[in-house]
């Protein structure tokens, strides 16, 4: 029986000013966090980073991010943002642990705060939209787009890894199912958060599906969820995938990952029962609908995750 603790429908993870608040304490794990902040025009929000590093990522709208770290160093970043997660990549701001942060939006918007407990305090930095590598993974109906803004090989952080995935209507992503719940050669131990937004159509709220299932007798995560915009799925362990975008409704999800490994890396293991599917992609083209929007640095040919 799937465990409903790991599927948080829109609104059920709201707390204080946040439409979504998932911290290590609420998730029952050690590192990964996600908050979604909704600001009215002219509104601002302050938060302390405490023992975590954070990326402020506009989902809709733009904002000003002001960070003062533990040494008194101040950094201010103007984020242009975007109209929608389905309309383009965005610039973002990295803010370090032990800092005070203020986010202000002149026109209003919705902003994801992706976080991870960490040891090192790195400098606050700006990430330009033009520097975000956009990767096209898979082929055929397993084609998807990955915006690697906070990938381990792209942007420096201590533990935080974060990417965006866009899946055209009717396609499956996060397939073959894979896991990263064991620290060993070729696999890293990472907790993961999925945050979804789904395009609506025909006057109907968009819908998709997410599967997570146990990767061994000592693993507990079991999810078969119908997901809508604002939903969250927690993945402390287990095989995860597919993420299914049903016909008519494009799917977006934000992945936030962190774990105990001293080496910040995204290393995964496919479910052996389904790994053969990758071989079929060699004779299939990438879905011509991708990228879903003009990308400054699209790269084709990726096949992981």
């Amino acid at each position: 029986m799937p465990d409903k603790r790991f599927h948080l429908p829109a609104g059920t993870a709201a707390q204080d000013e946040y439409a979504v608040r998932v911290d290590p304490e609420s998730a029952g794990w050690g590192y990964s966090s996600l908050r979604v902040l909704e600001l009215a025009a002219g509104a601002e929000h302050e938060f302390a980073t405490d023992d975590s590093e954070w990326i402020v990522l506009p989902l809709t709208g733009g904002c000003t991010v002001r960070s003062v770290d533990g040494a008194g160093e101040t950094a201010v970043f103007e984020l242009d943002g975007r109209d929608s997660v389905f309309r383009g990549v965005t610039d973002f701001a990295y803010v370090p642990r032990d800092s005070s942060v203020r986010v202000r939006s002149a026109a209003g918007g919705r902003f994801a705060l992706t976080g991870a407990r960490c040891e090192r305090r790195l400098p606050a930095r700006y990430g330009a939209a033009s520097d975000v590598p956009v990767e096209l993974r898979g082929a055929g109906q397993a084609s998807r787009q990955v915006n690697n803004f906070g990938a381990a090989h792209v942007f420096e952080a201590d533990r935080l890894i974060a990417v965006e995935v866009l899946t055209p209507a009717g396609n499956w992503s996060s397939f073959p199912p894979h896991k990263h719940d064991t620290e060993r050669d070729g696999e890293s131990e990472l907790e993961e958060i999925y945050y979804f937004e789904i395009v609506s159509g025909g006057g109907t709220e968009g819908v998709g599906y997410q599967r997570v299932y146990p990767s061994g007798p000592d693993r507990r995560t079991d999810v078969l969820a119908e997901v809508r915009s604002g939903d969250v799925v927690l993945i402390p362990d287990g095989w995860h995938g597919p993420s299914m975008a049903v016909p008519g409704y494009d799917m977006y999800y934000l992945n936030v990952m962190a774990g105990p490994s001293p080496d910040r890396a995204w290393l995964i293991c496919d479910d052996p029962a389904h790994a053969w599917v990758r071989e079929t992609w060699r004779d299939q083209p990438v879905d011509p609908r991708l990228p879903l929007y003009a990308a400054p640095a699209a790269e084709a040919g990726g096949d992981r995750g």
Side-chain angles (χ1 to χ4, degrees):
M1 179 73 66
D3 192 327
K4 295 182 179 180
R5 292 176 299 167
F6 304 112
H7 174 216
L8 309 177
T12 61
Q15 183 178 340
D16 302 325
E17 301 99 325
Y18 298 110
V20 172
R21 180 166 181 161
V22 175
D23 293 326
E25 291 78 12
S26 65
W29 57 34
Y31 298 91
S32 300
S33 295
L34 172 67
R35 303 175 187 178
V36 176
L37 176 66
E38 296 179 346
L39 292 178
E44 63 182 42
H45 173 71
E46 295 188 11
F47 71 98
T49 62
D50 297 323
D51 60 358
S52 297
E53 58 188 347
W54 297 83
I55 285 178
V56 179
L57 180 79
L59 300 173
T60 61
C63 64
T64 302
V65 178
R66 181 180 185 271
S67 169
V68 182
D69 68 19
E73 293 292 327
T74 300
V76 179
F77 306 109
E78 297 290 340
L79 304 186
D80 293 333
R82 53 190 167 184
D83 294 336
S84 157
V85 296
F86 295 100
R87 296 294 298 274
V89 294
T90 182
D91 50 358
F92 60 93
Y94 172 93
V95 292
R97 60 167 292 162
D98 303 317
S99 300
S100 174
V101 180
R102 183 178 67 200
V103 181
R104 184 180 188 280
S105 180
R110 189 168 66 258
F111 309 94
L113 313 179
T114 67
R117 281 181 173 155
C118 63
E119 285 71 45
R120 293 188 297 153
R121 188 175 72 202
L122 300 175
R125 280 162 290 144
Y126 173 79
S130 59
D131 291 336
V132 175
V134 174
E135 176 186 354
L136 305 185
R137 288 187 189 163
Q141 287 184 291
S143 301
R144 58 272 204 183
Q145 171 180 336
V146 184
N147 301 337
N148 285 307
F149 71 95
H153 65 289
V154 170
F155 188 83
E156 184 184 11
D158 188 37
R159 293 190 183 272
L160 177 63
I161 299 172
V163 302
E164 300 178 303
V165 180
L166 294 108
T167 308
N171 284 11
W172 288 23
S173 56
S174 285
F175 198 83
H178 60 280
K179 74 181 184 77
H180 39 70
D181 59 16
T182 303
E183 194 66 30
R184 59 178 179 172
D185 287 344
E187 183 179 353
S188 48
E189 183 180 351
L190 296 166
E191 310 151 350
E192 186 164 17
I193 303 168
Y194 275 54
Y195 166 79
F196 292 89
E197 295 198 5
I198 314 264
V199 167
S200 296
T204 302
E205 181 184 17
V207 64
Y209 293 87
Q210 177 67 44
R211 181 69 172 122
V212 187
Y213 55 98
S215 56
D218 61 337
R219 302 302 187 183
R220 59 194 172 94
T221 310
D222 191 355
V223 177
L224 177 55
E226 185 175 279
V227 293
R228 292 176 167 79
S229 290
D231 283 17
V232 169
V233 172
L234 306 179
I235 306 176
D237 53 56
W239 304 111
H240 42 290
S243 303
M244 294 165 271
V246 303
Y249 303 96
D250 293 338
M251 170 187 282
Y252 163 96
Y253 53 86
L254 171 64
N255 289 146
V256 184
M257 292 169 276
S261 174
D263 299 320
R264 176 175 170 257
W266 182 71
L267 301 175
I268 67 171
C269 174
D270 284 339
D271 183 342
H274 303 291
W276 65 271
V277 172
R278 290 192 189 276
E279 298 301 316
T280 69
W281 296 347
R282 296 180 180 181
D283 300 321
Q284 299 181 62
V286 173
D287 191 317
R289 292 174 292 177
L290 292 173
L292 286 182
Y293 42 72
E299 301 173 356
D303 67 352
R304 303 298 290 174

